[in-house]
Amino acid sequence: MTYFITTPIYYVNDAPHIGHAYTTIACDILSRYNKLKGDKTFFLTGTDEHGQKVEKAALSKKKDTQNFVDEMSQNFRDLIPFLGCQIDDFIRTTEERHKIATQFLWNKLKDNDQIYLSNYEGWYSIRDEAFYLESELTKTENGLIAPSGAPVEWVKEQSYFFKLSQWEDKLLEYYEKNPDSILPRSRYNEVLSFIRGGLKDLSISRTTFKWGVQVPDTENHVMYVWIDALCNYITALNYPNTDHDSFKTFWPGIHVVGKDILRFHAVYWPAFLMAAGLEPPKQIFAHGWWTNEGQKISKSVGNIINPYEIIDTYGLDQIRFFLFREVPFGNDGDFSKDAIAQRVNADLSNNYGNLIQRISSFIIKNSDSAVSKPQNYKEIDHQLLKSFDETLVNYIKNMNSFQIDKALKNIFDYLSEVNAYVDSQAPWSLKKTDDQRMKDVLYLVTLITIKISVILYPVIPSSIDKALKIYNLSIDNLNLNNIEHFSPDLINLNIPKPLFPRIDL
Ligand code: MSP
């Protein structure tokens, strides 16, 4: 199986913040999970560098636009390893390969009679880079605003249009046949009712500024930034060379996006693709929005969360874990210091880290730093192993359906069971009464800990690398296909270092 997963490409008008980090980490988790399943994966991210919003940002900094985007794009690129993410490609819309792909796509749409020249007159929001109908806007003291709260302005210019209205039925038909192609289900319903409400042709070129991909065979039209941006997903697969291995192997892909930009991905993008004779995306997952201690995150409020700061304060895996354990993926979430501390302490420090710490230290002290496979298991041991197998089945089911929070909750419920098993079997008491049984219990708990570590790997990879080193193991040899039956004859242990120090409240 192959798996192509993408983040949105981020606007370079400003520095990356927690929202961008969140989407990128989500895709990293899903990409690592699918690799662990044995899939051939491709994880793409990058930057969206054209359009008025970015041009205005460069102007306000009094910088040359190209220099400005070079610098800003680098900030997004640098953030990736800091987030513990492993990508396969980073795309920038100002690259030559992308210009070739977008202009080819444009010509393809034109050849297929999907584009015509007319005049656009209506509302536009530079902040959202989106056109709005008057009926979508709200009157405020400061004038009309878009549903996102962004200001709008009246635009009147010559423009090329894409015949989006012709794709209403085709889109509905496609989505009715593929109900899991937009997730969560509430978002699917939202998109379908939007399409059923009727689609208007879409303005796809602008003439009042220059910072964009030039429309082929025109003097003064640049492409609307969204047609340019969406095309990144196939540029990276070598479009227009659809016979190329990477296109054949990886398209159609899976787009993870914030709920704010679902319409672009679930309506415009599949319509462009179908109109160009290409397959629509396999799946689109729309996630929720983060607030900071209950408040909307915004520059004007001054409560932007800097990913570097929080990771320096709490630790990388602590943050990765918190973001995906605390809030159901798809829902909005609130970032709060207390919630991080509570979550990390309860799950990572107590339930997981302490288990490793106390059992491995005990083995080093009382069992010559090694445990061997028992001759036979007791009924209670079989129960614990069976419970792991069930946890694994649930984990796979949840991860396959983007329910990362549920997958994690299952693991930690199971870890509570493992801790209860340790308490009830009390190896420290067995030490005085039944040395063999003590060793058997220690082996079993160690084995289970290793299995759990493997399934935690996608979310907290660097900590799991450290944890597995305690057992002289590496993730390179463990995966979702061999973990169920994994049971080596002997496990040698190294002295553990605490993985998750408690966070003071
Ligand atoms: N450039 C477009 C996307 C083009 S994709 C072909 C864009 N860029 S953006 O920089 O505004 O980033 C948007 C994405 O960042 C959102 O869709 C979401 O994934 C993420 N987030 C930005 N702020 C966020 C929060 N406060 N909370 C969660 N995610 C947020 O739109």
Side-chain angles (χ1 to χ4, degrees):
M1 288 272 282
T2 63
Y3 190 81
F4 176 40
I5 187 153
T6 70
T7 72
I9 47 171
Y10 304 112
Y11 285 129
V12 289
N13 60 307
D14 221 329
H17 60 70
I18 185 73
H20 308 121
Y22 180 60
T23 319
T24 306
I25 296 171
C27 292
D28 185 65
I29 292 173
L30 294 165
S31 164
R32 286 179 191 265
Y33 163 72
N34 281 277
K35 243 184 235 166
L36 215 50
K37 252 181 25 184
D39 288 356
K40 188 170 174 190
T41 62
F42 189 134
F43 169 15
L44 174 72
T45 187
T47 44
D48 190 353
E49 307 184 9
H50 288 134
Q52 254 174 312
K53 166 161 151 157
V54 170
E55 188 181 51
K56 261 179 75 176
L59 264 171
S60 76
K61 296 253 156 63
K62 299 198 171 52
K63 289 198 174 157
D64 166 73
T65 318
Q66 188 63 53
N67 290 344
F68 174 75
V69 299
D70 288 347
E71 205 177 286
M72 298 300 276
S73 174
Q74 192 59 41
N75 296 336
F76 282 89
R77 200 190 281 259
D78 290 343
L79 182 63
I80 294 162
F82 193 80
L83 300 175
C85 295
Q86 275 176 349
I87 59 165
D88 296 293
D89 195 2
F90 186 95
I91 185 158
R92 300 184 52 191
T93 54
T94 50
E95 288 173 88
E96 186 62 20
R97 60 170 170 163
H98 185 64
K99 185 173 149 197
I100 294 170
T102 39
Q103 291 185 331
F104 189 94
L105 179 69
W106 183 284
N107 282 332
K108 191 86 193 166
L109 294 174
K110 207 170 131 210
D111 292 348
N112 291 353
D113 191 27
Q114 296 295 320
I115 292 180
Y116 62 92
L117 186 63
S118 182
N119 289 296
Y120 179 77
E121 192 170 350
W123 295 103
Y124 191 77
S125 158
I126 297 183
R127 196 164 97 193
D128 296 350
E129 295 283 18
F131 301 96
Y132 288 108
L133 295 174
E134 185 134 346
S135 56
E136 293 177 284
L137 306 175
T138 317
K139 258 200 196 108
T140 69
E141 303 163 345
N142 305 321
L144 287 169
I145 57 162
S148 61
V152 292
E153 59 186 47
W154 188 256
V155 170
K156 190 177 172 189
E157 59 190 319
Q158 194 188 45
S159 172
Y160 283 98
F161 283 76
F162 169 70
K163 295 183 181 171
L164 182 65
S165 56
Q166 296 192 347
W167 291 93
E168 223 171 277
D169 292 344
K170 290 256 168 37
L171 284 170
L172 285 175
E173 195 186 311
Y174 174 77
Y175 283 135
E176 273 153 14
K177 266 197 212 133
N178 298 281
D180 284 335
S181 55
I182 302 171
L183 291 170
R185 182 47 65 95
S186 56
R187 300 287 170 209
Y188 170 86
N189 294 334
E190 196 180 295
V191 170
L192 262 76
S193 72
F194 176 76
I195 300 173
R196 287 195 188 108
L199 297 179
K200 285 204 159 45
D201 290 351
L202 181 71
S203 160
I204 52 166
S205 78
R206 306 288 313 273
T207 49
T208 43
F209 65 96
K210 290 258 170 296
W211 188 244
V213 180
Q214 187 158 10
V215 173
D217 311 316
T218 68
E219 290 269 301
N220 58 342
H221 285 261
V222 293
M223 288 185 205
Y224 171 40
V225 66
W226 270 100
I227 188 169
D228 161 357
L230 288 161
C231 185
N232 91 84
Y233 300 130
I234 54 175
T235 304
L237 298 181
N238 268 287
Y239 184 80
N241 186 355
T242 47
D243 284 332
H244 192 280
D245 261 0
S246 62
F247 194 91
K248 282 202 298 207
T249 310
F250 290 111
W251 191 254
I254 296 172
H255 304 311
V256 175
V257 300
K259 61 180 182 181
D260 53 322
I261 55 172
L262 178 59
R263 196 182 286 181
F264 299 94
H265 285 81
V267 181
Y268 305 162
W269 179 225
F272 294 152
L273 286 163
M274 291 199 257
L278 298 169
E279 267 184 89
K282 190 189 285 170
Q283 249 175 349
I284 300 165
F285 185 91
H287 67 66
W289 214 243
W290 282 89
T291 50
N292 185 357
E293 310 278 350
Q295 267 198 319
K296 187 171 190 267
I297 299 177
S298 90
K299 235 174 146 180
S300 51
V301 181
N303 63 349
I304 302 247
I305 300 170
N306 175 335
Y308 287 99
E309 270 169 31
I310 53 165
I311 288 175
D312 281 341
T313 308
Y314 296 102
L316 171 60
D317 284 345
Q318 285 83 343
I319 291 294
R320 286 176 64 114
F321 181 77
F322 170 77
L323 292 175
F324 290 91
R325 169 65 184 90
E326 189 70 10
V327 175
F329 193 41
N331 292 11
D332 292 341
D334 184 43
F335 194 89
S336 111
K337 292 181 174 162
D338 279 356
I340 298 178
Q342 274 163 17
R343 186 50 81 186
V344 168
N345 289 345
D347 288 355
L348 293 181
S349 307
N350 292 353
N351 225 350
Y352 178 66
N354 274 356
L355 177 70
I356 295 191
Q357 195 67 24
R358 63 181 176 142
I359 294 299
S360 53
S361 310
F362 191 83
I363 293 171
I364 289 168
K365 236 195 205 150
N366 301 296
S367 183
D368 281 336
S369 301
V371 280
S372 6
K373 191 163 163 179
Q375 296 290 323
N376 41 49
Y377 285 125
K378 288 192 170 184
E379 181 50 32
I380 188 168
D381 308 340
H382 282 301
Q383 271 304 325
L384 196 68
L385 283 164
K386 196 172 144 242
S387 257
F388 175 81
D389 295 346
E390 286 162 11
T391 303
L392 181 63
V393 170
N394 278 327
Y395 168 83
I396 291 173
K397 192 184 88 203
N398 286 321
M399 290 298 279
N400 284 347
S401 55
F402 300 83
Q403 301 188 81
I404 307 173
D405 56 295
K406 268 200 189 157
L408 289 172
K409 181 174 185 309
N410 270 326
I411 297 176
F412 282 84
D413 286 349
Y414 177 61
L415 268 163
S416 300
E417 216 179 303
V418 179
N419 276 298
Y421 170 91
V422 172
D423 292 342
S424 76
Q425 299 308 299
W428 43 91
S429 307
L430 290 168
K431 197 178 138 197
K432 295 169 218 141
T433 56
D434 187 345
D435 191 61
Q436 189 53 50
R437 176 64 189 156
M438 174 195 83
K439 288 187 168 150
D440 292 355
V441 167
L442 293 173
Y443 176 90
L444 183 62
V445 176
T446 302
L447 181 75
I448 296 275
T449 310
I450 293 167
K451 289 178 186 241
I452 292 170
S453 301
V454 171
I455 60 178
L456 279 174
Y457 175 77
V459 180
I460 50 171
S462 45
S463 303
I464 297 303
D465 282 338
K466 284 186 206 146
L468 291 176
K469 282 208 179 97
I470 300 173
Y471 311 106
N472 294 296
L473 292 168
S474 148
I475 197 71
D476 299 339
N477 309 314
L478 296 164
N479 56 54
L480 297 183
N481 304 315
N482 64 16
I483 198 61
E484 189 178 341
H485 300 294
F486 178 75
S487 62
D489 291 336
L490 184 74
I491 306 172
N492 284 303
L493 279 79
N494 300 310
I495 297 172
K497 284 197 203 89
L499 289 169
F500 299 103
R502 282 183 67 83
I503 299 174
D504 287 334
L505 269 172

